[in-house]
């Protein structure tokens, strides 16, 4: 029995020694980056994460004569417009870009609780860029200034439609969330929650 007790004591001491060596040699858990660094990296990723949609629309435009301070001049303008019948129709192509305004993203949009992080996305931005090289004029006798007004009308119409399209906005939000979640997980956070408002407490 005494011999067995000594053997167990030796085995136990060896096991404790091995455990102590493993603890000492185990690499330390990587520390989480500071909040300003996280904010900057999220900005960098979000700048690249923009949903782009190709659009086209048939638009028409009939300008009204401009009013002046002189009654007879107004009459002449109306007569000229009635005779010339200025009008324009075209198929206009454009690209719509949906993304988030991360220039306005700062520490007030981020709250860290251990390895959990809460994120409030900034407002969504919608930008529409026309593709004039692909615009097809169907029928027009407009001058250059009136043609510019027709194209601007089309751009504004595109922008309004995209802003009202909940499906496109959901796609843009989901895309941004995927990219930002992947970034934050690689930085060492274990749980990333996108919320409309940060929990009670000090942001950042």
């Amino acid at each position: 029995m005494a011999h067995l007790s000594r053997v167990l004591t030796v085995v136990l001491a060896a096991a404790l020694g091995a455990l102590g060596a493993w603890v000492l040699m185990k690499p330390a858990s990587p520390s989480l980056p500071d909040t300003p660094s996280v904010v900057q990296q999220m900005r960098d990723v979000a700048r690249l994460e923009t949903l782009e949609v190709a659009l086209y629309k048939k638009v028409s435009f009939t300008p009204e004569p401009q009013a002046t301070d002189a009654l007879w001049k107004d009459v002449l303008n109306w007569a000229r417009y009635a005779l010339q019948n200025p009008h324009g129709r075209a198929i206009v192509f454009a690209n719509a870009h949906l993304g988030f305004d991360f220039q306005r993203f700062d520490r007030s949009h981020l709250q860290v609780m251990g390895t959990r992080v809460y994120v409030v996305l900034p407002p969504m931005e919608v930008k529409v860029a026309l593709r004039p090289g692909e615009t097809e004029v169907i029928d027009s006798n407009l001058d250059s200034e009136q043609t510019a007004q027709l194209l601007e009308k089309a751009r504004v119409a595109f922008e309004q439609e995209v802003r009202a399209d909940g499906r496109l906005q959901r796609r843009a939000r989901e895309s941004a969330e995927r990219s930002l979640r992947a970034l934050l997980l690689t930085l060492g956070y274990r749980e990333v929650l996108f919320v409309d408002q940060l929990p009670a407490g000090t942001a950042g």
Side-chain angles (χ1 to χ4, degrees):
M1 289 293 295
H3 175 70
L4 179 60
S5 176
R6 285 196 297 273
V7 170
L8 289 176
T9 301
V10 171
V11 171
L12 181 59
L16 290 175
L19 178 61
W22 179 81
V23 170
L24 292 174
M25 296 177 63
K26 180 184 176 183
S29 299
S31 59
L32 295 173
D34 58 85
T35 300
S37 173
V38 174
V39 168
Q40 185 58 51
Q41 292 185 65
M42 292 178 70
R43 284 177 177 170
D44 294 340
V45 167
R47 286 194 191 101
L48 303 176
E49 191 58 49
T50 302
L51 179 65
E52 182 171 307
V53 183
L55 307 168
Y56 72 93
K57 178 184 287 291
K58 183 184 291 186
V59 295
S60 60
F61 179 62
T62 303
E64 292 291 335
Q66 295 181 354
T68 69
D69 295 332
L71 177 60
W72 285 110
K73 191 171 183 180
D74 286 347
V75 172
L76 291 174
N77 282 342
W78 275 108
R80 178 170 61 85
Y81 270 74
L83 291 173
Q84 294 181 355
N85 184 29
H87 60 277
R89 289 188 301 142
I91 300 177
V92 182
F93 293 81
N95 288 329
H97 304 268
L98 293 87
F100 290 88
D101 183 8
F102 267 77
Q103 292 298 323
R104 299 171 59 180
F105 186 83
D106 55 25
R107 297 179 61 171
S108 67
H109 293 79
L110 193 70
Q111 182 167 327
V112 176
M113 294 183 175
T115 58
R116 176 186 297 171
V117 58
Y118 295 88
V119 181
V120 176
L121 292 176
M124 182 172 290
E125 283 187 320
V126 176
K127 295 181 180 179
V128 173
L130 298 181
R131 305 204 305 266
E134 300 178 36
T135 295
E136 179 183 351
V137 177
I138 302 172
D139 177 29
S140 175
N141 63 358
L142 303 177
D143 59 28
S144 58
E145 181 180 352
Q146 293 165 341
T147 300
Q149 293 176 22
L150 174 121
L151 295 177
E152 177 61 16
K153 176 183 178 182
R155 190 195 66 77
V156 171
F158 280 134
E159 188 172 296
Q160 290 175 344
E161 286 189 358
V162 172
R163 290 185 184 279
D165 193 325
R167 180 181 59 87
L168 287 178
Q169 297 203 19
R170 282 194 300 273
R171 283 177 56 191
R173 182 181 182 91
E174 290 169 359
S175 180
E177 288 184 359
R178 279 196 302 271
S179 296
L180 294 174
R181 178 176 283 108
L183 168 68
L184 292 168
L185 291 176
T186 60
L187 292 178
Y189 299 100
R190 296 185 178 180
E191 187 176 6
V192 181
L193 301 174
F194 292 93
V195 294
D196 294 328
Q197 185 175 359
L198 295 179
T202 303

